Amino acid sequence: MTDTDSRPNSKVARVIETYDLDGMGERLEAEWTGADGERTSLRDLADQFNRAVLSAAMREAGRSAVESDVASAYATLTDDDTARADLMRKRRELERDGVDVDAVLDDFVTHQAVHTYLTDYREAELPDRSADRVDRKIDTLERLQGRTAAVAESTVANLVDAGELTDHDYELLVDVRAVCPDCGTDYPVGDLLREGGCDCAAD
């Protein structure tokens, strides 16, 4: 982290201060870098940030700011598919309660602004996860195979119960395999990934 006075200008930082969004910077950085596991995309972070801005403005105006109300208002104000009549109705409703809608919309940020804030203002960096990339991909594939097996088992059981499938003790196998086009070796896809590919080229 750099000294506060030498940091570049940042709209995100200014809005955090304007709306007293304590801890927002740390939260954005933690979610972007995946400090607690899964990373959050910049677009999702921008949406989270903008909803927090709207929520703060609604609370300041004395309006209910429960999550569902904020999410509904945010969707109406930002969704390109919102009917004009619905948009105007929501704007009038918020303005009647004391929310300066134009000012709030001006303070919304883009995902690019969030990226600039994280990288330039907070000097955050993404961790190098290349070492465990293969393990994570294998885990994803194995979870998908597990879900496919569960769906297949449920489908067979339902059809047996409905009398549309003969009742036998079926054994269902879900096995994704990869065949090398050069040597014909057949691998479970997880083994292929762990071994770094087929080694036939080394022969």
Short mmCIF file of all heavy atoms in Angstrom, two decimals, residues 12-55:
data_model
loop_
_atom_site.label_atom_id
_atom_site.label_comp_id
_atom_site.label_asym_id
_atom_site.label_seq_id
_atom_site.Cartn_x
_atom_site.Cartn_y
_atom_site.Cartn_z
N VAL A 12 -13.77 5.38 -7.08
CA VAL A 12 -14.23 4.41 -6.11
C VAL A 12 -13.87 4.87 -4.69
O VAL A 12 -14.70 4.84 -3.78
CB VAL A 12 -13.64 3.02 -6.39
CG1 VAL A 12 -13.99 2.04 -5.26
CG2 VAL A 12 -14.15 2.48 -7.72
N ALA A 13 -12.64 5.32 -4.50
CA ALA A 13 -12.21 5.78 -3.18
C ALA A 13 -13.04 6.99 -2.74
O ALA A 13 -13.42 7.10 -1.56
CB ALA A 13 -10.73 6.13 -3.21
N ARG A 14 -13.30 7.90 -3.67
CA ARG A 14 -14.09 9.09 -3.33
C ARG A 14 -15.50 8.70 -2.90
O ARG A 14 -16.04 9.23 -1.91
CB ARG A 14 -14.15 10.04 -4.52
CG ARG A 14 -15.04 11.26 -4.28
CD ARG A 14 -15.13 12.14 -5.49
NE ARG A 14 -15.74 11.47 -6.65
CZ ARG A 14 -17.06 11.25 -6.76
NH1 ARG A 14 -17.89 11.61 -5.78
NH2 ARG A 14 -17.54 10.67 -7.84
N VAL A 15 -16.11 7.78 -3.64
CA VAL A 15 -17.48 7.38 -3.33
C VAL A 15 -17.53 6.63 -2.00
O VAL A 15 -18.47 6.80 -1.21
CB VAL A 15 -18.06 6.52 -4.47
CG1 VAL A 15 -19.44 5.97 -4.09
CG2 VAL A 15 -18.17 7.34 -5.75
N ILE A 16 -16.52 5.82 -1.72
CA ILE A 16 -16.45 5.13 -0.43
C ILE A 16 -16.47 6.13 0.71
O ILE A 16 -17.18 5.96 1.70
CB ILE A 16 -15.19 4.25 -0.35
CG1 ILE A 16 -15.34 3.01 -1.25
CG2 ILE A 16 -14.91 3.82 1.08
CD1 ILE A 16 -14.09 2.16 -1.33
N GLU A 17 -15.69 7.20 0.55
CA GLU A 17 -15.63 8.24 1.59
C GLU A 17 -16.95 9.01 1.67
O GLU A 17 -17.46 9.28 2.77
CB GLU A 17 -14.48 9.19 1.31
CG GLU A 17 -14.32 10.28 2.37
CD GLU A 17 -13.11 11.15 2.11
OE1 GLU A 17 -12.37 10.88 1.15
OE2 GLU A 17 -12.92 12.12 2.87
N THR A 18 -17.52 9.33 0.52
CA THR A 18 -18.76 10.11 0.49
C THR A 18 -19.90 9.39 1.20
O THR A 18 -20.69 10.01 1.94
CB THR A 18 -19.18 10.40 -0.97
OG1 THR A 18 -18.15 11.17 -1.60
CG2 THR A 18 -20.51 11.16 -1.02
N TYR A 19 -19.99 8.09 1.00
CA TYR A 19 -21.11 7.33 1.55
C TYR A 19 -20.74 6.56 2.82
O TYR A 19 -21.53 5.73 3.29
CB TYR A 19 -21.65 6.36 0.50
CG TYR A 19 -22.36 7.05 -0.65
CD1 TYR A 19 -21.65 7.53 -1.74
CD2 TYR A 19 -23.75 7.25 -0.62
CE1 TYR A 19 -22.29 8.18 -2.79
CE2 TYR A 19 -24.39 7.90 -1.66
CZ TYR A 19 -23.66 8.36 -2.74
OH TYR A 19 -24.31 9.01 -3.77
N ASP A 20 -19.56 6.84 3.38
CA ASP A 20 -19.11 6.19 4.61
C ASP A 20 -19.20 4.67 4.51
O ASP A 20 -19.73 3.99 5.41
CB ASP A 20 -19.94 6.66 5.81
CG ASP A 20 -19.73 8.14 6.11
OD1 ASP A 20 -18.59 8.62 5.93
OD2 ASP A 20 -20.70 8.82 6.49
N LEU A 21 -18.70 4.12 3.41
CA LEU A 21 -18.73 2.67 3.21
C LEU A 21 -17.50 2.03 3.86
O LEU A 21 -16.59 1.54 3.19
CB LEU A 21 -18.79 2.35 1.72
CG LEU A 21 -19.99 2.94 0.95
CD1 LEU A 21 -19.91 2.59 -0.53
CD2 LEU A 21 -21.30 2.44 1.55
N ASP A 22 -17.50 2.04 5.17
CA ASP A 22 -16.35 1.53 5.92
C ASP A 22 -16.10 0.05 5.58
O ASP A 22 -17.02 -0.77 5.56
CB ASP A 22 -16.60 1.66 7.42
CG ASP A 22 -16.69 3.12 7.86
OD1 ASP A 22 -16.14 3.98 7.15
OD2 ASP A 22 -17.34 3.39 8.90
N GLY A 23 -14.85 -0.27 5.33
CA GLY A 23 -14.47 -1.64 5.06
C GLY A 23 -14.71 -2.09 3.63
O GLY A 23 -14.35 -3.22 3.27
N MET A 24 -15.29 -1.23 2.80
CA MET A 24 -15.62 -1.63 1.43
C MET A 24 -14.35 -1.91 0.62
O MET A 24 -14.30 -2.86 -0.16
CB MET A 24 -16.45 -0.55 0.75
CG MET A 24 -16.77 -0.83 -0.72
SD MET A 24 -17.68 -2.37 -0.99
CE MET A 24 -19.31 -1.89 -0.34
N GLY A 25 -13.33 -1.09 0.78
CA GLY A 25 -12.10 -1.30 0.02
C GLY A 25 -11.48 -2.65 0.33
O GLY A 25 -11.08 -3.39 -0.58
N GLU A 26 -11.39 -2.99 1.62
CA GLU A 26 -10.83 -4.27 2.02
C GLU A 26 -11.68 -5.43 1.48
O GLU A 26 -11.14 -6.45 1.04
CB GLU A 26 -10.77 -4.36 3.54
CG GLU A 26 -9.73 -3.44 4.19
CD GLU A 26 -10.21 -2.00 4.30
OE1 GLU A 26 -11.36 -1.71 3.90
OE2 GLU A 26 -9.42 -1.17 4.78
N ARG A 27 -13.01 -5.25 1.49
CA ARG A 27 -13.88 -6.32 1.01
C ARG A 27 -13.70 -6.53 -0.49
O ARG A 27 -13.62 -7.67 -0.97
CB ARG A 27 -15.34 -5.99 1.31
CG ARG A 27 -16.29 -7.15 1.01
CD ARG A 27 -17.74 -6.74 0.98
NE ARG A 27 -18.09 -5.77 2.01
CZ ARG A 27 -19.23 -5.09 2.01
NH1 ARG A 27 -20.11 -5.26 1.03
NH2 ARG A 27 -19.49 -4.24 2.97
N LEU A 28 -13.64 -5.43 -1.25
CA LEU A 28 -13.43 -5.55 -2.69
C LEU A 28 -12.13 -6.27 -3.01
O LEU A 28 -12.09 -7.16 -3.87
CB LEU A 28 -13.42 -4.16 -3.34
CG LEU A 28 -14.74 -3.39 -3.38
CD1 LEU A 28 -14.50 -1.98 -3.91
CD2 LEU A 28 -15.79 -4.10 -4.23
N GLU A 29 -11.08 -5.90 -2.30
CA GLU A 29 -9.78 -6.53 -2.56
C GLU A 29 -9.81 -8.01 -2.21
O GLU A 29 -9.30 -8.86 -2.96
CB GLU A 29 -8.68 -5.82 -1.76
CG GLU A 29 -7.30 -6.40 -2.01
CD GLU A 29 -6.20 -5.60 -1.32
OE1 GLU A 29 -6.43 -4.43 -0.94
OE2 GLU A 29 -5.09 -6.17 -1.17
N ALA A 30 -10.40 -8.34 -1.06
CA ALA A 30 -10.44 -9.74 -0.63
C ALA A 30 -11.23 -10.60 -1.60
O ALA A 30 -10.83 -11.73 -1.93
CB ALA A 30 -11.05 -9.84 0.77
N GLU A 31 -12.35 -10.06 -2.09
CA GLU A 31 -13.18 -10.85 -3.01
C GLU A 31 -12.53 -10.96 -4.39
O GLU A 31 -12.65 -11.99 -5.06
CB GLU A 31 -14.58 -10.25 -3.11
CG GLU A 31 -15.37 -10.34 -1.82
CD GLU A 31 -16.85 -10.12 -2.02
OE1 GLU A 31 -17.34 -10.33 -3.15
OE2 GLU A 31 -17.52 -9.72 -1.05
N TRP A 32 -11.84 -9.92 -4.81
CA TRP A 32 -11.20 -9.96 -6.13
C TRP A 32 -10.01 -10.91 -6.14
O TRP A 32 -9.81 -11.66 -7.10
CB TRP A 32 -10.74 -8.55 -6.53
CG TRP A 32 -10.16 -8.50 -7.91
CD1 TRP A 32 -10.75 -8.87 -9.09
CD2 TRP A 32 -8.84 -8.04 -8.27
NE1 TRP A 32 -9.90 -8.66 -10.16
CE2 TRP A 32 -8.72 -8.15 -9.68
CE3 TRP A 32 -7.77 -7.53 -7.54
CZ2 TRP A 32 -7.57 -7.79 -10.36
CZ3 TRP A 32 -6.61 -7.16 -8.22
CH2 TRP A 32 -6.52 -7.29 -9.61
N THR A 33 -9.24 -10.91 -5.07
CA THR A 33 -8.05 -11.77 -5.02
C THR A 33 -8.37 -13.18 -4.55
O THR A 33 -7.51 -14.06 -4.62
CB THR A 33 -6.99 -11.16 -4.09
OG1 THR A 33 -7.54 -11.02 -2.77
CG2 THR A 33 -6.52 -9.81 -4.60
N GLY A 34 -9.60 -13.40 -4.09
CA GLY A 34 -9.97 -14.73 -3.63
C GLY A 34 -9.34 -15.10 -2.31
O GLY A 34 -8.96 -16.25 -2.08
N ALA A 35 -9.23 -14.12 -1.41
CA ALA A 35 -8.59 -14.36 -0.12
C ALA A 35 -9.29 -15.46 0.68
O ALA A 35 -8.66 -16.19 1.45
CB ALA A 35 -8.56 -13.07 0.69
N ASP A 36 -10.60 -15.59 0.49
CA ASP A 36 -11.37 -16.60 1.22
C ASP A 36 -11.73 -17.80 0.35
O ASP A 36 -12.59 -18.59 0.71
CB ASP A 36 -12.66 -15.97 1.78
CG ASP A 36 -12.37 -14.86 2.78
OD1 ASP A 36 -11.38 -15.00 3.53
OD2 ASP A 36 -13.11 -13.86 2.80
N GLY A 37 -11.09 -17.92 -0.80
CA GLY A 37 -11.38 -19.06 -1.68
C GLY A 37 -11.70 -18.62 -3.09
O GLY A 37 -10.80 -18.31 -3.88
N GLU A 38 -12.99 -18.58 -3.42
CA GLU A 38 -13.41 -18.23 -4.77
C GLU A 38 -13.25 -16.74 -5.05
O GLU A 38 -13.52 -15.91 -4.18
CB GLU A 38 -14.88 -18.62 -4.99
CG GLU A 38 -15.12 -20.13 -5.00
CD GLU A 38 -14.44 -20.83 -6.16
OE1 GLU A 38 -14.46 -20.27 -7.28
OE2 GLU A 38 -13.86 -21.91 -5.97
N ARG A 39 -12.81 -16.40 -6.26
CA ARG A 39 -12.69 -15.00 -6.65
C ARG A 39 -14.02 -14.50 -7.18
O ARG A 39 -14.82 -15.25 -7.72
CB ARG A 39 -11.63 -14.85 -7.74
CG ARG A 39 -10.20 -15.05 -7.27
CD ARG A 39 -9.24 -14.70 -8.39
NE ARG A 39 -9.51 -13.37 -8.90
CZ ARG A 39 -9.61 -13.06 -10.18
NH1 ARG A 39 -9.49 -13.99 -11.11
NH2 ARG A 39 -9.86 -11.82 -10.55
N THR A 40 -14.26 -13.19 -7.03
CA THR A 40 -15.44 -12.54 -7.56
C THR A 40 -15.03 -11.67 -8.74
O THR A 40 -14.01 -10.99 -8.69
CB THR A 40 -16.11 -11.66 -6.48
OG1 THR A 40 -16.43 -12.47 -5.34
CG2 THR A 40 -17.39 -11.03 -7.02
N SER A 41 -15.82 -11.72 -9.82
CA SER A 41 -15.47 -10.96 -11.02
C SER A 41 -15.60 -9.46 -10.76
O SER A 41 -16.33 -9.01 -9.87
CB SER A 41 -16.38 -11.36 -12.18
OG SER A 41 -17.69 -10.84 -11.99
N LEU A 42 -14.90 -8.68 -11.58
CA LEU A 42 -14.96 -7.23 -11.45
C LEU A 42 -16.36 -6.70 -11.70
O LEU A 42 -16.81 -5.74 -11.04
CB LEU A 42 -13.97 -6.58 -12.42
CG LEU A 42 -12.49 -6.77 -12.10
CD1 LEU A 42 -11.63 -6.36 -13.28
CD2 LEU A 42 -12.11 -5.97 -10.85
N ARG A 43 -17.08 -7.29 -12.65
CA ARG A 43 -18.45 -6.84 -12.94
C ARG A 43 -19.35 -7.08 -11.72
O ARG A 43 -20.18 -6.23 -11.37
CB ARG A 43 -19.01 -7.54 -14.17
CG ARG A 43 -18.32 -7.13 -15.46
CD ARG A 43 -18.97 -7.73 -16.68
NE ARG A 43 -18.22 -7.42 -17.89
CZ ARG A 43 -18.30 -6.28 -18.55
NH1 ARG A 43 -19.12 -5.34 -18.12
NH2 ARG A 43 -17.58 -6.06 -19.64
N ASP A 44 -19.21 -8.23 -11.09
CA ASP A 44 -20.02 -8.52 -9.90
C ASP A 44 -19.63 -7.59 -8.76
O ASP A 44 -20.49 -7.15 -7.98
CB ASP A 44 -19.86 -9.97 -9.48
CG ASP A 44 -20.59 -10.94 -10.41
OD1 ASP A 44 -21.46 -10.48 -11.18
OD2 ASP A 44 -20.28 -12.15 -10.38
N LEU A 45 -18.35 -7.29 -8.65
CA LEU A 45 -17.91 -6.37 -7.60
C LEU A 45 -18.47 -4.98 -7.83
O LEU A 45 -18.86 -4.29 -6.88
CB LEU A 45 -16.38 -6.32 -7.55
CG LEU A 45 -15.67 -7.57 -7.02
CD1 LEU A 45 -14.16 -7.39 -7.10
CD2 LEU A 45 -16.09 -7.86 -5.58
N ALA A 46 -18.51 -4.54 -9.10
CA ALA A 46 -19.09 -3.23 -9.40
C ALA A 46 -20.56 -3.20 -9.02
O ALA A 46 -21.05 -2.21 -8.44
CB ALA A 46 -18.91 -2.91 -10.88
N ASP A 47 -21.29 -4.27 -9.31
CA ASP A 47 -22.71 -4.34 -8.93
C ASP A 47 -22.86 -4.30 -7.42
O ASP A 47 -23.74 -3.61 -6.88
CB ASP A 47 -23.36 -5.60 -9.49
CG ASP A 47 -23.69 -5.49 -10.97
OD1 ASP A 47 -23.87 -4.36 -11.46
OD2 ASP A 47 -23.78 -6.53 -11.65
N GLN A 48 -22.03 -5.06 -6.71
CA GLN A 48 -22.08 -5.05 -5.24
C GLN A 48 -21.82 -3.65 -4.70
O GLN A 48 -22.51 -3.18 -3.79
CB GLN A 48 -21.05 -6.02 -4.68
CG GLN A 48 -21.36 -7.49 -4.88
CD GLN A 48 -20.28 -8.38 -4.27
OE1 GLN A 48 -19.54 -7.97 -3.37
NE2 GLN A 48 -20.17 -9.60 -4.77
N PHE A 49 -20.82 -3.01 -5.26
CA PHE A 49 -20.46 -1.66 -4.82
C PHE A 49 -21.61 -0.69 -5.06
O PHE A 49 -21.99 0.08 -4.17
CB PHE A 49 -19.21 -1.20 -5.56
CG PHE A 49 -18.71 0.15 -5.14
CD1 PHE A 49 -17.82 0.27 -4.08
CD2 PHE A 49 -19.12 1.30 -5.80
CE1 PHE A 49 -17.36 1.51 -3.69
CE2 PHE A 49 -18.66 2.54 -5.40
CZ PHE A 49 -17.78 2.65 -4.34
N ASN A 50 -22.18 -0.73 -6.25
CA ASN A 50 -23.26 0.21 -6.59
C ASN A 50 -24.50 -0.04 -5.74
O ASN A 50 -25.19 0.93 -5.36
CB ASN A 50 -23.60 0.09 -8.07
CG ASN A 50 -22.45 0.57 -8.96
OD1 ASN A 50 -21.61 1.34 -8.53
ND2 ASN A 50 -22.43 0.09 -10.19
N ARG A 51 -24.78 -1.29 -5.43
CA ARG A 51 -25.92 -1.57 -4.54
C ARG A 51 -25.65 -1.02 -3.14
O ARG A 51 -26.57 -0.53 -2.48
CB ARG A 51 -26.20 -3.07 -4.49
CG ARG A 51 -26.91 -3.60 -5.73
CD ARG A 51 -27.50 -4.98 -5.48
NE ARG A 51 -26.50 -5.97 -5.20
CZ ARG A 51 -25.89 -6.70 -6.12
NH1 ARG A 51 -26.21 -6.54 -7.40
NH2 ARG A 51 -24.98 -7.60 -5.79
N ALA A 52 -24.40 -1.09 -2.71
CA ALA A 52 -24.05 -0.53 -1.40
C ALA A 52 -24.22 0.99 -1.39
O ALA A 52 -24.68 1.57 -0.39
CB ALA A 52 -22.61 -0.90 -1.03
N VAL A 53 -23.89 1.63 -2.50
CA VAL A 53 -24.08 3.08 -2.63
C VAL A 53 -25.57 3.42 -2.55
O VAL A 53 -25.98 4.32 -1.81
CB VAL A 53 -23.48 3.59 -3.95
CG1 VAL A 53 -23.92 5.03 -4.23
CG2 VAL A 53 -21.97 3.49 -3.93
N LEU A 54 -26.37 2.70 -3.30
CA LEU A 54 -27.82 2.94 -3.29
C LEU A 54 -28.40 2.68 -1.91
O LEU A 54 -29.24 3.45 -1.42
CB LEU A 54 -28.50 2.04 -4.34
CG LEU A 54 -30.02 2.15 -4.43
CD1 LEU A 54 -30.46 3.58 -4.74
CD2 LEU A 54 -30.55 1.19 -5.49
N SER A 55 -27.95 1.61 -1.28
CA SER A 55 -28.43 1.29 0.06
C SER A 55 -28.10 2.40 1.05
O SER A 55 -28.94 2.81 1.86
CB SER A 55 -27.80 -0.02 0.54
OG SER A 55 -28.19 -0.33 1.86
#
